[in-house]
Amino acid sequence: MTHQCDEPVTQMHLKPAMTVGELVNAMGKAGAYNGGSLYHAAEIYEQMLKDKDTTKFFGLAGAMVPAGMGGIVSDLIRDGHIDILVSTGANLTHDIIEAIGCRHFHGTAFCNDIELRHDEINRIYDVYLPNEAFEHFETFMQSVYGELEPGTTVSISGLLRHIGLHLKTGILATAAQKAIPVYCPAIQDSMVGLQYWLFSQTNKVTVDAFADMPALLDTCFATKKAGALLVGGGVPKNFILQSMLMTPNGFDYAIQLTGDRPDLGGLSGATLDEARSWGKITEEAKAVTVYADATITLPVLVAAVMERLSHA
């Protein structure tokens, strides 16, 4: 195999009033390491959003809403850039907390957590959330669950849509307004799930964990192309990628933003090339992984691509 040296690295020069798109393009000309990967992610994401035949999946893992990333997801839903959202229950819990008027606060990771416990403050690295927020959350959730019709069966996405219809802002509210399905296959692993368990002790409404599968797989069979933007990994990543396994299709576009390493064998760090071996991603798919903090890469990626689309 002959290797070519025909594309030189271009040294970056920054200038005042440089746009995010211009910065990402300059990173692409430098083209090295994860800066180069972020540029390639922007190229793929732009193509994915412009491709009208593509069903656009979005996976949301990690503690992204407490870090202020929920607004980006909500805006992408609003603007028609997400067709299917798969999230952890934790992100949806924090989305609801923000939507009912409670806030997350700037804190520090260098603190005494026992003192925080005594002060009734919960810590998510350097974000603080007072216990008071969960008291308001419980009141809201029990009220909303109380409006479910006794004796009925509801899917997880139906339950989340029911919640979203009682909110005015945030991810679930926007998804409900736009009729975008939100899947949360591990909803029990969250305060949303714990509050439902509390509700179920005195009420008879069944949540069917498998009821979402027919509509999801019908979409996967019917779609001409599929694309995925994966923030982190975990359950949302696997739930999205495995959705194509039962079909002759695979993902044609895939972008993963993660801080995890691939050599430890965990799903969150696994390369997208590895997914090709399973047939989850097509052999010809345009795919890239950016190994960096998603609170940096997600805003930069989305801002750069939205800038490109505004000039298209």
Side-chain angles (χ1 to χ4, degrees):
M1 180 177 181
T2 302
H3 295 277
Q4 301 294 325
C5 290
D6 55 5
E7 188 174 350
V9 170
T10 301
Q11 300 300 315
M12 290 184 65
H13 295 281
L14 305 180
K15 60 183 181 181
M18 200 175 198
T19 69
V20 177
E22 290 171 340
L23 175 62
V24 170
N25 288 340
M27 293 164 71
K29 291 178 180 178
Y33 316 142
N34 284 292
S37 295
L38 184 58
Y39 168 78
H40 289 300
E43 293 281 286
I44 294 170
Y45 194 41
E46 179 185 10
Q47 292 176 52
M48 172 180 146
L49 295 186
K50 285 182 174 179
D51 192 336
K52 297 186 183 301
D53 290 332
T54 296
T55 300
K56 301 172 288 292
F57 292 72
F58 192 104
L60 186 64
M64 291 292 101
V65 174
M69 300 296 105
I72 297 174
V73 180
S74 177
D75 290 346
L76 287 171
I77 296 171
R78 178 199 64 198
D79 295 338
H81 298 314
I82 296 176
D83 297 314
I84 293 175
L85 174 65
V86 182
S87 176
T88 60
N91 273 310
L92 301 180
T93 295
H94 293 285
D95 173 63
I96 296 167
I97 285 172
E98 288 272 334
I100 62 176
C102 300
R103 304 298 300 273
H104 297 80
F105 296 91
H106 297 294
T108 175
F110 307 100
C111 60
N112 186 316
D113 285 288
I114 294 175
E115 291 181 359
L116 286 181
R117 175 64 176 169
H118 292 168
D119 291 336
E120 298 187 340
I121 294 174
N122 305 279
R123 180 170 71 89
I124 308 166
Y125 189 61
D126 60 356
V127 174
Y128 289 172
L129 181 60
N131 274 353
E132 181 183 4
F134 288 106
E135 295 170 3
H136 291 295
F137 175 80
E138 178 171 340
T139 299
F140 171 79
M141 294 301 293
Q142 292 304 313
S143 174
V144 170
Y145 286 155
E147 295 187 21
L148 292 167
E149 186 176 348
T152 58
T153 298
V154 63
S155 66
I156 293 174
S157 66
L159 183 69
L160 295 174
R161 183 176 185 275
H162 174 75
I163 297 169
L165 290 172
H166 289 77
L167 299 169
K168 295 182 179 179
T169 62
I171 295 170
L172 286 177
T174 308
Q177 293 162 11
K178 296 292 184 177
I180 297 300
V182 180
Y183 298 119
C184 183
I187 195 170
Q188 303 95 319
D189 184 29
S190 70
M191 292 293 185
V192 175
L194 287 175
Q195 286 298 320
Y196 184 82
W197 171 83
L198 182 61
F199 168 76
S200 70
Q201 300 309 291
T202 54
N203 296 272
K204 296 299 180 183
V205 177
T206 301
V207 177
D208 185 346
F210 293 95
D212 284 324
M213 300 306 290
L216 173 64
L217 291 176
D218 283 350
T219 298
C220 292
F221 272 104
T223 187
K224 294 180 180 179
K225 293 182 181 179
L229 174 53
L230 307 169
V231 180
V235 171
K237 175 185 176 183
N238 191 67
F239 190 79
I240 288 172
L241 294 183
Q242 77 169 11
S243 66
M244 289 295 175
L245 282 179
M246 302 299 291
T247 79
N249 306 318
F251 280 87
D252 303 279
Y253 306 96
I255 301 154
Q256 177 176 226
L257 310 177
T258 182
D260 290 339
R261 290 165 43 187
D263 58 311
L264 299 179
L267 178 69
S268 296
T271 66
L272 294 174
D273 280 333
E274 183 178 305
R276 296 182 201 265
S277 74
W278 294 79
K280 298 174 181 177
I281 294 176
T282 66
E283 294 180 13
E284 304 80 15
K286 297 177 181 179
V288 66
T289 297
V290 186
Y291 291 102
D293 185 339
T295 63
I296 300 170
T297 55
L298 179 62
V300 173
L301 171 65
V302 173
V305 174
M306 292 306 103
E307 181 180 328
R308 293 182 182 192
L309 294 179
S310 71
H311 297 323

